Amino acid sequence: MGSFLLIPILFIGIVILFSSFFTVKQQTAAIVERFGKFNSVRTSGLQIKIPLVDKIVARVGLKIQQLDVIVETKTLDDVFVKLKISVQYVVLKNKVYEAFYQLEYPHDQITSYVFDVVRAEVPKMKLDDVFVKKDDIAIAVKTELQDAMLDYGYDIIKTLVTDIDPDGQVKEAMNRINASEREKIAAQFEGDAARILIVEKAKAEAESKRLQGQGIADQRREIARGLEESVEVLNKVGINSQEASALIVVTQHYDTLQSIGEATNSNLILLPNSPQAGSDMLNNMVASFTASNMIGESMKKTQITKKE
């Protein structure tokens, strides 16, 4: 009968013995209470407690945690905007008691401070300044949280403004403004390019005309030199200047007729082709030169008379 009672007692004793030991993971703290009253904070490793007397009421993580808070507020230029604030915090090892017993809902407490700071800072800024000075907002949130949460055992590692989301209509307006500005710049570049193209084209045409004129002048100079040489050659064989000029004019006249006849796509052109035509052209040219010289001499005499 005694041996039957011994087995349950040994079993209960083994259970109680094993329940006296417990482990705490790395970067974790275990809070032990004795009869409902705080007893101790146990850190990582193998720990001992009194069975049926001590009780592990909580395990507090000591790793860095992150809380994302979305705050909607209004800017100085009356634009509603949503900001996403990411708060990175950690429970201090030497203040696990305060972190567990003094704050029932630490996330709510942190969220309240974030709302308070953001809604105090952002209404002082215009929408563009919110994007530019988001780091200033993050620093203000961290400073306020650091002072408030340190007494409760929480250390604020960093705060970040991870998203700024204006009202949908405002974003559309901003996109239209940006698109219009880019179109304006593109139009300016296109106008500059077109103006440069026109200027360069005009320069090229002017240079072409100059070279063309120079070419024509050179051509006429060579023609005149050739005519002069032809007249000298004809004079040497006993042909006077008037006869030589008539001969050259007739020769050029028939050369012109030959050139026109060789062109297959030429339109209908009626020209005199008798030998007398060359002589008539020469006589007309001589008469024109004589008349022109007489008019020039007459104008000179008139000018001299007026001066006297």
Side-chain angles (χ1 to χ4, degrees):
M1 185 69 178
S3 60
F4 286 106
L5 292 174
L6 184 59
I7 293 174
I9 293 173
L10 288 175
F11 178 77
I12 294 173
I14 292 173
V15 172
I16 293 173
L17 179 63
F18 275 99
S19 64
S20 302
F21 298 94
F22 67 97
T23 59
V24 181
K25 293 183 179 181
Q26 187 69 31
Q27 291 297 99
T28 306
I31 298 177
V32 179
E33 291 182 353
R34 181 169 295 169
F35 295 118
K37 182 180 179 181
F38 172 75
N39 177 259
S40 62
V41 176
R42 308 294 180 86
T43 56
S44 58
L46 182 63
Q47 302 290 340
I48 300 176
K49 63 181 180 66
I50 301 175
L52 305 178
V53 176
D54 295 339
K55 181 181 178 182
I56 301 173
V57 294
R59 295 179 184 267
V60 180
L62 301 179
K63 296 180 181 180
I64 296 177
Q65 303 179 59
Q66 178 169 307
L67 174 64
D68 294 328
V69 182
I70 297 177
V71 184
E72 184 176 10
T73 184
K74 187 175 71 170
T75 62
L76 184 62
D77 46 354
D78 296 329
V79 177
F80 283 93
V81 60
K82 291 181 180 180
L83 284 82
K84 183 178 180 181
I85 312 296
S86 298
V87 181
Q88 298 176 354
Y89 65 94
V90 66
V91 176
L92 297 173
K93 291 182 180 180
N94 58 343
K95 290 191 174 183
V96 176
Y97 173 87
E98 290 84 351
F100 181 74
Y101 285 102
Q102 293 188 13
L103 282 180
E104 183 71 21
Y105 303 106
H107 287 182
D108 294 344
Q109 189 80 5
I110 294 174
T111 300
S112 298
Y113 279 106
V114 171
F115 267 82
D116 182 64
V117 176
V118 171
R119 288 182 172 175
E121 294 293 329
V122 173
K124 301 176 184 177
M125 306 177 183
K126 292 184 177 180
L127 180 61
D128 293 339
D129 295 334
V130 174
F131 286 93
V132 175
K133 298 181 179 179
K134 66 183 185 66
D135 291 338
D136 296 342
I137 300 173
I139 292 173
V141 173
K142 179 182 177 181
T143 302
E144 185 72 19
L145 283 175
Q146 189 80 34
D147 295 339
M149 301 300 295
L150 195 60
D151 293 336
Y152 299 110
Y154 289 88
D155 183 25
I156 307 301
I157 304 299
K158 197 169 187 178
T159 58
L160 301 169
V161 180
T162 55
D163 188 23
I164 301 174
D165 185 19
D167 183 74
Q169 294 181 352
V170 175
K171 287 194 290 186
E172 292 179 2
M174 293 174 67
N175 290 334
R176 288 198 301 269
I177 293 173
N178 189 24
S180 300
E181 188 67 23
R182 292 181 182 276
E183 290 176 358
K184 179 181 177 182
I185 295 174
Q188 290 177 348
F189 277 108
E190 290 177 358
D192 292 341
R195 183 170 62 253
I196 292 172
L197 183 61
I198 292 172
V199 172
E200 293 301 324
K201 185 177 180 180
K203 289 181 179 179
E205 290 180 355
E207 182 66 15
S208 175
K209 296 295 183 182
R210 185 185 70 80
L211 295 175
Q212 184 179 0
Q214 183 177 352
I216 293 173
D218 292 340
Q219 180 184 9
R220 289 175 178 174
R221 190 180 300 111
E222 293 299 322
I223 292 174
R225 187 178 292 112
L227 292 174
E228 182 182 2
E229 292 176 354
S230 298
V231 172
E232 290 178 356
V233 171
L234 293 174
N235 288 334
K236 290 179 181 179
V237 296
I239 300 175
N240 59 36
S241 298
Q242 185 174 2
E243 292 174 344
S245 299
L247 180 59
I248 292 171
V249 170
V250 171
T251 303
Q252 290 182 343
H253 174 68
Y254 282 104
D255 288 341
T256 303
L257 292 177
Q258 182 180 0
S259 298
I260 294 175
E262 291 176 352
T264 58
N265 295 326
S266 299
N267 294 324
L268 178 62
I269 300 175
L270 299 177
L271 292 174
N273 60 356
S274 64
Q276 187 64 29
S279 178
D280 292 340
M281 283 188 290
L282 178 61
N283 293 332
N284 292 335
M285 290 174 61
V286 172
S288 298
F289 290 148
T290 303
S292 176
N293 290 332
M294 293 177 63
I295 293 172
E297 293 295 331
S298 177
M299 292 178 65
K300 289 181 180 178
K301 291 180 180 179
T302 302
Q303 291 177 355
I304 294 173
T305 304
K306 288 182 178 180
K307 288 182 179 179
E308 292 177 355

